[in-house]
Amino acid sequence: MSKAFSNLLKHIDKLPHTKKEQVYQWVKRYVEPSSPAGGRLINEMRETRFKEGFECPHCSSEHVVRFGKYNARQRYRCKCCGKTFTDTTNTVLYRTRKGNEWITFVDCMFKGYSLRKSAEIVGVTWVTLFYWRHKLLNALKQMDVEHFEGIVEIDETYFLYSQKGQRGITERKPRKRGGKSKHRGISHEQVCVLVARDRTKATVSKVACMGRIVKPKVEKLIGSKLSNENILVTDAWRAYKTYAKEKGLEHYRIKSDGGKHVIKGLYHIQNVNGLHSRLKQWIDRFKGVATKYLDNYLAWFLFVDSRSNESTKQHIKEFLLSSFVFEMTDTYDSLRQAKISI
């Protein structure tokens, strides 16, 4: 028996990395069956989602009673609207029979595996995993910063507008491997991503507009998170100067052509620029991202970057629970047919 086991280990050692991951996940499921793991996940999700008491996902009423079970999951009935629901209604896990597979997939997401490689490991088609990814991210991007503290660094970065995956494009020729803009510098072909970050690392990173950032977009994305106590540090773009003046905020401008990147030894935008650099390097692995999904990837990046891209059990659980507590009613069709709105 020990000789057979020794031969098995030698055989596993010769396998390619993806096959080793499959063996690892299979052994993991055998040692820790999926139903208990999935059950614990559902229980933790319910406790997190309904920590302030049960609430009907249809009408928000608190008059809820238990109403039997459906597919081994507790069902509830609202006494106001009469509709029934389960712990997973209007969440990422709604109408899914998979439990451990979601945990395995998030592990693959942290490790940066492609959808096809993840599909081999998880045992689900890569197309299904694409929709799983965006269901998770559509929920995750609802996480937001309530307010900034102290010094707030603001700067923008740009991505070439992309219609990756879209068929029947008639207004221009398809780009090969992402391609290049027809115009030099910042143009209407560039998607502006605004990044604002305070010194406690509270961060907003969202698609703002096409081309150069404008004052109304700054107000829309971060205006409600700023107070008179905040100090803005930006580059020299005039929209920031006008915005800070109208808001009555103390403002320092870093002029890149002046050779001075730090004012009074304290005011700079190096934290935001470092985030931009890590974002560009991280997003390169996807060989281009459709602009309509860019906000999803920005939310994903902020989550993993704040946890140093480490695929630990705690980080995987945080990722799943953070996604599950937000309402998510998207279907495969609505995700596929989504339109960009800027």
Side-chain angles (χ1 to χ4, degrees), residues 53-232:
F54 281 101
E55 186 178 278
C56 174
H58 304 293
C59 70
S60 301
S61 170
E62 297 180 358
H63 298 287
V64 173
V65 295
R66 292 178 181 270
F67 196 67
K69 291 190 175 183
Y70 179 74
N71 286 339
R73 292 179 182 172
Q74 181 63 53
R75 184 168 59 169
Y76 308 92
R77 182 175 181 274
C78 175
K79 297 176 73 174
C80 288
C81 67
K83 294 182 179 180
T84 62
F85 62 95
T86 68
D87 297 319
T88 61
T89 298
N90 290 353
T91 70
V92 173
L93 278 184
Y94 184 48
R95 289 181 175 172
T96 181
R97 296 183 180 180
K98 308 290 184 180
N100 233 33
E101 286 82 354
W102 284 86
I103 300 172
T104 304
F105 178 52
V106 173
D107 186 22
C108 291
M109 289 176 69
F110 265 96
K111 292 176 179 176
Y113 294 161
S114 68
L115 287 175
R116 285 178 170 81
K117 184 174 181 178
S118 300
E120 291 183 39
I121 296 169
V122 179
V124 178
T125 68
W126 73 267
V127 176
T128 297
L129 292 187
F130 174 82
Y131 291 115
W132 280 17
R133 172 192 286 179
H134 286 289
K135 287 178 75 174
L136 283 165
L137 299 180
N138 265 10
L140 188 69
K141 73 180 180 183
Q142 296 180 56
M143 295 178 66
D144 203 2
V145 173
E146 290 187 7
H147 62 272
F148 289 119
E149 296 181 11
I151 299 171
V152 183
E153 300 175 28
I154 306 173
D155 199 7
E156 72 279 3
T157 188
Y158 294 87
F159 294 88
L160 185 62
Y161 179 74
S162 172
Q163 293 169 284
K164 182 180 179 180
Q166 183 175 327
R167 298 180 181 179
I169 300 174
T170 57
E171 61 270 21
R172 62 170 174 80
K173 291 182 179 180
R175 301 193 190 105
K176 294 183 178 180
R177 296 180 177 85
K180 296 181 179 179
S181 173
K182 292 188 295 184
H183 307 278
R184 295 183 62 184
I186 306 304
S187 70
H188 65 277
E189 287 188 289
Q190 303 286 336
V191 181
C192 174
V193 172
L194 183 72
V195 179
R197 186 179 179 96
D198 67 17
R199 298 294 166 86
T200 69
K201 297 185 178 181
T203 308
V204 170
S205 177
K206 293 183 181 296
V207 172
C209 57
M210 302 296 295
R212 282 287 189 181
I213 188 69
V214 291
K215 184 180 63 177
K217 295 296 183 180
V218 179
E219 173 63 21
K220 179 181 177 181
L221 293 180
I222 64 172
S224 63
K225 309 175 196 318
L226 295 170
S227 70
N228 292 332
E229 297 179 357
N230 291 126
I231 301 171
L232 300 189

Side-chain angles (χ1 to χ4, degrees), residues 293-310:
Y293 296 130
L294 186 53
D295 267 334
N296 287 4
Y297 286 86
L298 295 174
W300 180 5
F301 169 74
L302 284 183
F303 190 95
V304 298
D305 184 70
S306 66
R307 290 154 181 83
S308 303
N309 286 282
E310 294 179 354

Side-chain angles (χ1 to χ4, degrees), residues 190-300:
Q190 303 286 336
V191 181
C192 174
V193 172
L194 183 72
V195 179
R197 186 179 179 96
D198 67 17
R199 298 294 166 86
T200 69
K201 297 185 178 181
T203 308
V204 170
S205 177
K206 293 183 181 296
V207 172
C209 57
M210 302 296 295
R212 282 287 189 181
I213 188 69
V214 291
K215 184 180 63 177
K217 295 296 183 180
V218 179
E219 173 63 21
K220 179 181 177 181
L221 293 180
I222 64 172
S224 63
K225 309 175 196 318
L226 295 170
S227 70
N228 292 332
E229 297 179 357
N230 291 126
I231 301 171
L232 300 189
V233 188
T234 71
D235 62 16
W237 181 239
R238 59 180 177 271
Y240 296 125
K241 180 181 179 180
T242 306
Y243 178 74
K245 185 176 181 179
E246 289 185 2
K247 294 279 283 190
L249 298 173
E250 188 176 352
H251 180 214
Y252 292 90
R253 303 168 72 201
I254 307 297
K255 298 181 179 180
S256 58
D257 58 350
K260 190 174 182 180
H261 302 290
V262 182
I263 299 175
K264 297 182 180 180
L266 181 62
Y267 304 110
H268 57 77
I269 54 174
Q270 294 171 6
N271 292 313
V272 164
N273 288 337
L275 188 73
H276 287 170
S277 178
R278 295 194 302 276
L279 169 62
K280 291 294 183 75
Q281 186 178 9
W282 178 85
I283 214 164
D284 277 347
R285 72 178 68 171
F286 302 105
K287 309 300 180 185
V289 170
T291 299
K292 67 179 183 179
Y293 296 130
L294 186 53
D295 267 334
N296 287 4
Y297 286 86
L298 295 174
W300 180 5

